[in-house]
Amino acid sequence: MLEKVSFRDTLFEAGLLVASGVDGIYGRSGDFEAVVDGIDGLISRDGAMPGAEVVRFPPAMPRSVIETSGYLKGFPHLAGTVHCFCGDDQAHKKLLQCLDDKEDWTGQQKSVDLALTPAACYPVYPMIASRGPVKMDGHIIDVSSYCFRHEPSLEPTRMQMFRMREFVCIATPEITKAFRDRWVERGHAIVSALGLPVAVDLANDPFFGRGGKIMADSQRDQALKFELLVPVNSAETPTACLSFNYHIDHFSSIWDLKMQDGRLAHTACVGFGFERLALALFRHHGLNRAGWPAHVRAALWPN
Amino acid sequence: MEDRIREILSRCARLSVPVEALNDEDNLYDAGLSSLATVNVMLAIEEVFSVEFLDHLLTRRSFESISSLAAVIASLKSGALTF
């Protein structure tokens, strides 16, 4: 635990992360952002997917999407919804009185029609479904967003708001599975080239509760999720910096995503965690990016 | 016991085939059981049979067939800790 706290403190002291008073919510310095931009550019160059549709969403999405997608069945503990003041003058007066009295004022807040995006790909499925059947050679989407998960932690690698870039494949089962398997190799090559020690392992999502144990076991049993791990906080519990996910027809049955032949599409995605990759680089190459190995700097900042 | 399991499956499992068409050994996942529906089956079994699944039994294998469910329920009812 001391080690975990000290890496975060080191990052604060170096000014790379800026404490906010809430664990998992940090400011990022210019140097930190330069590394994130470098990783983003590297993914675009070395991970280029010809024909991929680029789309960027804000970090909030319609609340109906988080409700329909099944996220609340698996991860109610991680979800974030948006609440706003929707009252009249009297209610406003009450709110200000609560603030003055240092009482809870949030009872005045009402849930609005927004939820925070839990993973960059969530808004993609309804977007594609609304267009009708997917062509038989499939569709690739390049998506990126700030994401939110309510899991305050002292580990700097476990932020509550963080950025994720994903490539999403919506296609036949054969194409989708091949996409996921190919990305395990590509992701390994891209991160290894940054001089980071890398391992790929079978994984499961952090499903909620006792029912979640069955879902996690089922996910592992079917080898649906792999993670690319890099030691950041400790060697014993390396950090997942990329994940490779095969959803079978989970999202397509929910959103009625069909192929042109009328069969349900399958979906898969590869996700890059920008902050986790940046932290892995600072951990292994030092806090001053100017001193990083030449081949790492060349990979991140070719110009 | 198998009849009560079948009743639970027809109520909660949302299978793609009628429960009557399944043998006790048939794979329920091949019959369309999803992992989310598995959770509903678990909760219904706990209620109907007045048992509580132990953590090590919360696996995909426990819910694989009517006979595997019957074995799990029998072990929970007898207090046996292994399966």
Side-chain angles (χ1 to χ4, degrees):
Chain A
M1 182 59 87
L2 281 175
E3 171 67 10
K4 287 170 187 170
V5 174
S6 85
F7 183 46
R8 191 177 74 148
D9 285 346
T10 305
L11 294 161
F12 288 157
E13 283 164 20
L16 289 164
L17 291 183
V18 181
S20 72
V22 173
D23 293 331
I25 298 288
Y26 308 118
R28 284 83 160 149
S29 72
D31 269 334
F32 193 98
E33 287 303 288
V35 174
V36 168
D37 288 346
I39 296 166
D40 201 19
L42 174 66
I43 296 167
S44 295
R45 287 187 302 279
D46 289 9
M49 307 243 29
E53 176 182 357
V54 177
V55 60
R56 299 289 181 257
F57 290 99
M61 59 187 199
R63 181 155 54 91
S64 61
V65 173
I66 209 168
E67 291 162 354
T68 306
S69 67
Y71 191 80
L72 296 169
K73 292 179 182 166
F75 315 101
H77 56 312
L78 300 178
T81 48
V82 179
H83 291 65
C84 298
F85 174 76
C86 303
D88 57 11
D89 287 335
Q90 279 303 318
H92 184 209
K93 197 173 152 194
K94 207 180 283 181
L95 184 157
L96 294 177
Q97 190 62 52
C98 287
L99 275 181
D100 280 347
D101 298 343
K102 301 199 185 313
E103 288 174 0
D104 179 22
W105 60 275
T106 56
Q108 302 286 330
Q109 299 285 101
K110 285 214 167 86
S111 174
V112 295
D113 55 358
L114 290 173
L116 299 179
T117 304
C121 65
Y122 270 75
V124 165
Y125 308 106
M127 176 187 88
I128 300 298
S130 71
R131 297 177 185 168
V134 175
K135 60 187 183 345
M136 290 309 290
D137 59 350
H139 193 59
I140 307 281
I141 302 97
D142 170 346
V143 64
S144 180
S145 170
Y146 253 102
C147 300
F148 173 84
R149 291 179 192 173
H150 183 241
E151 45 181 355
S153 169
L154 295 178
E155 293 178 8
T157 47
R158 192 169 294 283
M159 296 187 183
Q160 296 202 64
M161 294 207 82
F162 53 94
R163 276 159 294 184
M164 184 190 295
R165 180 159 173 194
E166 292 191 58
F167 292 107
V168 183
C169 176
I170 302 174
T172 61
E174 297 75 25
I175 292 174
T176 308
K177 182 90 181 351
F179 166 92
R180 199 279 304 266
D181 294 345
R182 184 157 165 252
W183 259 109
V184 173
E185 290 173 24
R186 292 185 83 179
H188 192 286
I190 289 172
V191 179
S192 297
L194 292 174
L196 295 173
V198 167
V200 172
D201 203 0
L202 191 61
N204 61 265
D205 286 309
F207 295 105
F208 179 77
R210 295 172 63 236
K213 287 184 191 299
I214 304 171
M215 289 195 268
D217 182 74
S218 184
Q219 197 178 27
R220 280 182 173 268
D221 197 59
Q222 298 174 88
L224 298 181
K225 184 181 188 75
F226 289 88
E227 288 176 339
L228 183 142
L229 305 164
V230 180
V232 181
N233 299 303
S234 72
E236 296 76 37
T237 51
T239 297
C241 293
L242 275 68
S243 74
F244 314 92
N245 307 285
Y246 179 34
H247 317 122
I248 314 181
D249 60 1
H250 172 73
F251 288 113
S252 48
S253 58
I254 285 169
W255 296 108
D256 200 27
L257 265 168
K258 290 213 168 91
M259 302 302 295
Q260 277 176 334
D261 66 1
R263 291 195 294 177
L264 271 184
H266 279 204
T267 66
C269 67
V270 50
F272 293 78
F274 281 123
E275 282 81 2
R276 288 183 171 190
L277 283 165
L279 290 168
L281 288 162
F282 284 116
R283 167 58 104 182
H284 288 275
H285 299 315
L287 301 180
N288 177 10
R289 67 186 174 95
W292 290 0
H295 74 277
V296 175
R297 283 185 283 125
L300 292 171
W301 306 290
N303 302 313
Chain B
M1 181 191 291
E2 281 77 0
D3 287 347
R4 290 162 83 192
I5 295 172
R6 285 173 180 276
E7 184 276 320
I8 288 169
L9 289 174
S10 63
R11 187 157 48 88
C12 307
R14 293 195 217 154
L15 301 178
S16 49
V17 295
V19 173
E20 305 79 57
L22 293 172
N23 293 317
D24 286 355
E25 305 297 328
D26 284 347
N27 188 301
L28 295 175
Y29 297 105
D30 291 344
L33 182 64
S34 71
S35 55
L36 281 175
T38 306
V39 177
N40 294 332
V41 172
M42 175 198 81
L43 294 172
I45 285 175
E46 290 190 336
E47 191 185 334
V48 169
F49 291 95
S50 300
V51 293
E52 184 168 330
F53 276 76
L54 301 171
D55 275 5
H56 75 281
L57 294 175
L58 294 172
T59 64
R60 184 175 168 86
R61 199 165 65 97
S62 297
F63 296 83
E64 208 165 50
S65 64
I66 292 168
S67 60
S68 69
L69 280 168
V72 168
I73 295 163
S75 78
L76 290 171
K77 281 204 157 295
S78 71
L81 292 176
T82 53
F83 169 64

